Each structure stands twice: as C-alpha cells, then as structure tokens.
Amino acid sequence: ATRTKSADVERADSGIGQMSARKWRNRASETLSSLQAWEAHRPCTDCGERDLPVETDVQNCNQRRADLCEKCRKRRTERKESVLEFVNTEASYGEDLRIIKEEFYIPMQAAGLLSQEQLLGIFSNIQELIDLNENFLEVLQEEIDQAFDQGDDDLMTVCIGEIFLEFVNMLPAFQTYCLQQSSSVNMLNALEKEKELLRIFLNVSQNDNTALRRMNLRSFLMAPLQRVTKYPLLLSRIIKATTEYHPDHGSLREAKSRIESHLEHINMKTKQEGNTWTLRSFRQDSKKKREVINIEMRETALKTVGWLREETRFVMEGSLQLAQPPDGQWVKKGSKTLKFQNMQVLLLVNMKRVSESSLESAEPGPVKDAVLVLIRDKNNGKFHLLREPLRLSNCIVSTDPDCDDTFELIEIRREAFVFRDSDRARTHHWFRQIRRYSRELGSWKKRRNALPNIMISTPHTRP
C-alpha cells in the first residue's frame, strides 16, 4: 500500500509515467552524447574552423586555451609579442629622450657651455617629444595592466590602433624635429670644433658615463628619427597577427596609413628645403597622396590662425565650390547665374583641452573660436590663401529652399559667399556644421534664435 501511494504521488507531481520517463531518459542520454560529440569538434572562436584536436586528458583540456585552433593559438601568441614589443620599444625610446635631456642638455646648460639659442638649435623640440612620449606610454601601460588584471593574458582587449589615433597629434612634433635635424647636427659639429670645453665634455660623457652605453650625443639625437620610421613596421606586425574581425583591425590600418603619410610629407618638405637626407620611404597610393596634401593644408591653416596644435580640431576639410554674388537677388535668378571656382576649405575649431592624458579627447572641450580657411588649389607647388580666415563668430549662415544645393555665408559688414559641394548631401553637412559654430560663437546668438538683425549692414544682404 505504501509503494502504491508513493507511485501515485509521483505521477501526480510529474505527470510522467514509467514508460514516458524511460523514453525521456533515453532522449536525454542521446542529447548528452550529441553535445559531447559537438564539444569534441567545436569551432574555433577566432576563425570558426573545426580542426580542434580531440582532448582525452581532462587536465590537458583544462589547461588548453578555450576553443582555439592551433593556427589561432599561434596568432594570438604572435599578436601578444607584437603588442608588448610596441610598448617596450616605446619605453626604451622614452629612456633615450630622458638621457638626452638629463645627461646632455641640463649639464651643458648648467655649465654654461652653450647659450640658450645654441641649445635650442641642437636639441630642437626635445621637451615636446618627451611630454608626448610620457603621456603615450602611460596610456599604453594602463591598457596592458588592465588587460592582465581582467585575466586577458593574450592582450586581446588592448587596442594599439585606437590609442595611436588618439595621439596622432604627436606626428607633427616628430616632423618639426626631423626637419631641423640636419641643421642641428651641422651646428653641433661647428660648435664642437670651436669650443674646447664642449668637446672635452662630450668625450668624457661618452667614455665615462655608463648611462650612455658608450654612445655619443649624435647617436642619441637620432632616436626620434629612428622611432618615427619604426612605427609602420611595428603596426604592420600587429596587423598581421590580428584577425580582421578584431575591433582594432580598422584602427590599426588607419594608424599605419597616417604615419606613412606623415613620413612622405616629411620627405617632401626636406626636398623642398634642399636637404639630401630622407626618411624611410613607403609605396605611394592615391589615398596616401591625398593625406599628404591634407597635412600640408592643415599646416598652412595652423600657421595662418596662429593656434596651438594641441588645442586645434579639424572638423571638416575638402573641396568646395565658392562664388561671390554681385547682389542679393541671386536666389531669384538661381545659382546657375553665379560664377563658381574650386576652393579647398578647412573648418577649424579652437578648444580648451579637457584631459592632460590625451591630446585628442573623445569629449571636446568648450569651443573658444572657429574659422573657415579658404585655400586656392595648388599653384607652383604651394598653397595660397584666398583671403584671411572667416571667423564664424562674425558670420551668419543661411540657406534658401529655392536653392537647396547651396548655402550662403555673410560676413557681417563685409561680404557674402555662396558655397556648394558636388554632392548635395555633403553640401547640407557642411551647412549644418558651419551654422552650428556660427550660432554658438556669435555675439548675436541670443537674439531672435540667432537670426540676422535686419539692421545689420552688409553689401549683399537679401531683402
């Protein structure tokens, strides 16, 4: 009687009879066997291939890196080694920079061996390079430490490409140093022949100072040139060991392209200045050529506005068609009556730095100023400004539904310009960006929702 009652309770609770329970156990056993078979031939998490070796030893299975084929296991090892090589060589480069300052610059300055002007001529912007290296290395090391703390022994979460692009403003600093290298060495050679105390100091330092590793000052002064030319090689190694599905793959390729373009630009500038030496050259393609042109235009724009490089953001740049309407009736007549000319236009924003650890913060600081720089197409190998930059704080930007392929910029109390791009959508994007900063910076921005005052006098104001 007791056995019958317990059986009744079991059926009442589960609703599964003896035959059904037997079938369910058989299916569960079959499912478990299928899962075990799939587990033995599960796909690699990196490449999706199913060539994983079957592990019979439980201990070996636990020790093996989870779900990786032999090829991807080897690739991860190569990537980790390449990432660590990038960081370690950056640290070694930083140590050489500190030796230049602490073992040569400071003692020579304290002993009065050279004047401040002579020191600047030899050491150029070495302090700027030191600051950039310290900030760059700090972020790199933090990423490495964080990956290890989170159990990422393969450093797969470390994105060198993204970090490099954050610090891309260090490349113009390398350019400044490289372009002055020839004159720096010539000045050092001349001063060493002229000043006996300087010659004695350099000889004693090389032979007796163990920190110098028996290297002379000229060898250390080559460190920035050697470092900037090594970046593409180090990035190439990381790219080769990084699968295309990795989130940093695109940034790595972009970083490599940017540094190669800057090296080509440096070579071009050295040739223009009559120097015979060049940095390591790379194969040119159309994209790199365009980037070299963009670098040159940015330099022209920065020199014109006189802003600090680290406080400048290039919001937009590219070719636009520009016309200056003779009167305010051009809308009724249509843009076809205007005479357009091709122009290179750069939208620059001057902002305060919001973080000392990153030169290009993802969150922009408060905008202090914004300008449009208008550059004529290249003539005789050089860029020429059309006019002085247009400060958007003194401009009113508008568009008209009857001419939706153009927009008008009126410089208060001066002149008006009509812009358009060959692509209508890009024309609208230019308009929105320029209008945004014009409204933010204009002293009249609180009046009538930033609409122009009807009393503002301009030569070509529309009725």
Side-chain angles (χ1 to χ4, degrees):
T2 305
R3 285 197 298 271
T4 303
K5 288 182 180 179
S6 62
D8 291 339
V9 172
E10 181 183 356
R11 284 195 295 272
D13 289 346
S14 65
I16 301 177
Q18 293 181 358
M19 294 296 294
S20 299
R22 204 174 294 119
K23 292 180 180 179
W24 180 84
R25 284 194 294 270
N26 291 337
R27 289 180 181 176
S29 177
E30 293 174 359
T31 303
L32 180 60
S33 299
S34 299
L35 289 174
Q36 290 174 344
W38 180 89
E39 178 68 17
H41 300 283
R42 60 194 178 281
C44 172
T45 55
D46 279 7
C47 66
E49 298 293 333
R50 293 180 178 269
D51 61 348
L52 295 179
V54 178
E55 296 286 354
T56 57
D57 188 348
V58 176
Q59 185 176 0
N60 292 338
C61 184
N62 293 334
Q63 290 177 352
R64 183 175 58 83
R65 271 179 281 182
D67 301 336
L68 287 177
C69 67
E70 185 64 28
K71 180 180 178 181
C72 291
R73 209 180 313 170
K74 182 178 179 182
R75 179 188 291 151
R76 284 199 176 192
T77 301
E78 292 174 352
R79 186 182 188 277
K80 177 181 179 179
E81 291 174 352
S82 301
V83 169
L84 291 177
E85 181 186 14
F86 188 100
V87 178
N88 292 335
T89 53
E90 186 70 23
S92 298
Y93 160 66
E95 183 62 28
D96 286 344
L97 293 181
R98 284 185 286 277
I99 287 176
I100 293 175
K101 178 181 178 180
E102 297 173 4
E103 306 298 335
F104 290 105
Y105 181 90
I106 293 179
M108 291 164 66
Q109 183 185 45
L113 296 179
L114 297 177
S115 66
Q116 193 62 36
E117 183 180 356
Q118 291 169 335
L119 289 171
L120 181 61
I122 293 174
F123 296 97
S124 187
N125 61 329
I126 197 69
Q127 184 59 52
E128 182 182 13
L129 294 176
I130 291 174
D131 295 339
L132 289 168
N133 167 261
E134 289 178 350
N135 293 334
F136 188 35
L137 187 60
E138 180 181 359
V139 175
L140 289 172
Q141 195 60 56
E142 285 178 358
E143 288 291 314
I144 298 293
D145 295 341
Q146 184 176 358
F148 282 131
D149 291 342
Q150 294 176 351
D152 178 18
D153 294 334
D154 293 330
L155 303 182
M156 294 298 290
T157 57
V158 177
C159 295
I160 295 292
E162 292 183 5
I163 299 174
F164 193 95
L165 291 177
E166 285 184 13
F167 284 84
V168 74
N169 262 350
M170 67 181 175
L171 298 181
F174 276 106
Q175 175 179 313
T176 300
Y177 186 90
C178 292
L179 293 179
Q180 295 183 10
Q181 178 63 18
S182 180
S183 60
S184 298
V185 172
N186 292 336
M187 177 179 289
L188 177 60
N189 292 337
L191 290 172
E192 192 174 4
K193 292 179 181 179
E194 176 185 339
K195 297 178 178 293
E196 183 179 1
L197 288 178
L198 174 63
R199 184 168 61 253
I200 294 173
F201 168 77
L202 295 178
N203 289 335
V204 171
S205 298
Q206 180 180 354
N207 296 323
D208 298 343
N209 191 339
T210 56
L212 304 187
R213 311 186 298 274
R214 301 190 70 84
M215 293 169 56
N216 57 29
L217 175 57
R218 292 174 186 80
S219 299
F220 282 101
L221 291 177
M222 290 295 294
L225 280 73
Q226 295 168 348
R227 185 58 185 171
V228 74
T229 54
K230 197 171 183 180
Y231 280 134
L233 304 177
L234 295 171
L235 291 171
S236 294
R237 293 177 189 173
I238 301 176
I239 292 172
K240 185 178 179 181
T242 302
T243 176
E244 60 181 329
Y245 303 109
H246 193 281
D248 196 38
H249 191 268
S251 297
L252 284 167
R253 289 193 172 276
E254 177 65 19
K256 181 174 177 288
S257 177
R258 295 287 290 272
I259 181 61
E260 289 179 354
S261 299
H262 268 275
L263 292 178
E264 290 294 344
H265 179 63
I266 293 172
N267 285 338
M268 181 189 67
K269 297 288 286 185
T270 56
K271 291 178 182 178
Q272 291 178 354
E273 295 179 5
N275 294 325
T276 57
W277 66 273
T278 57
L279 296 175
R280 182 178 183 272
S281 61
F282 297 87
R283 181 176 59 84
Q284 280 268 17
D285 57 32
S286 57
K287 181 180 179 181
K288 290 187 178 63
K289 289 180 180 177
R290 290 194 300 271
E291 180 63 23
V292 169
I293 293 174
N294 291 340
I295 294 171
E296 192 170 355
M297 287 195 302
R298 292 174 202 147
E299 284 191 343
T300 302
L302 272 177
K303 186 177 180 180
T304 302
V305 298
W307 295 347
L308 294 176
R309 186 166 50 231
E310 60 270 20
E311 294 182 355
T312 302
R313 179 185 171 198
F314 292 88
V315 180
M316 290 191 70
E317 56 189 35
S319 178
L320 281 179
Q321 295 179 348
L322 176 145
Q324 292 183 268
D327 53 49
Q329 303 297 322
W330 68 271
V331 176
K332 295 180 180 179
K333 299 175 183 178
S335 59
K336 294 181 179 180
T337 61
L338 298 177
K339 184 178 180 180
F340 286 91
Q341 58 178 321
N342 291 326
M343 193 71 52
Q344 298 295 331
V345 181
L346 293 89
L347 173 56
L348 283 69
V349 173
N350 189 11
M351 60 180 61
K352 296 179 180 178
R353 291 171 59 183
V354 297
S355 174
E356 292 297 329
S357 63
S358 175
L359 299 181
E360 283 191 0
S361 175
E363 295 295 332
V367 176
K368 297 189 291 185
D369 202 355
V371 298
L372 273 186
V373 179
L374 310 178
I375 301 178
R376 298 182 185 273
D377 281 343
K378 209 166 185 180
N379 185 20
N380 296 327
K382 293 184 179 181
F383 287 110
H384 298 280
L385 296 176
L386 174 68
R387 63 188 306 285
E388 67 272 15
L390 291 165
R391 298 201 173 273
L392 296 187
S393 58
N394 298 327
C395 295
I396 300 168
V397 188
S398 61
T399 187
D400 195 289
D402 296 331
C403 295
D404 61 348
D405 62 336
T406 63
F407 65 91
E408 186 175 18
L409 184 147
I410 300 176
E411 190 177 16
I412 299 174
R413 296 185 180 87
R414 294 195 64 178
E415 49 192 333
F417 300 89
V418 177
F419 294 94
R420 73 179 181 187
D421 193 280
S422 55
D423 180 61
R424 183 168 299 187
R426 188 161 174 81
T427 300
H428 294 166
H429 185 53
W430 272 101
F431 166 68
R432 288 191 295 269
Q433 290 289 344
I434 295 175
R435 182 182 60 176
R436 169 193 169 188
Y437 293 107
S438 175
R439 287 182 171 181
E440 286 183 5
L441 297 168
S443 57
W444 37 267
K445 63 183 179 181
K446 296 182 180 179
R447 180 174 60 241
R448 299 173 61 236
N449 195 24
L451 293 175
N453 192 310
I454 59 174
M455 299 303 294
I456 293 176
S457 60
T458 59
H460 309 302
T461 304
R462 297 199 302 271

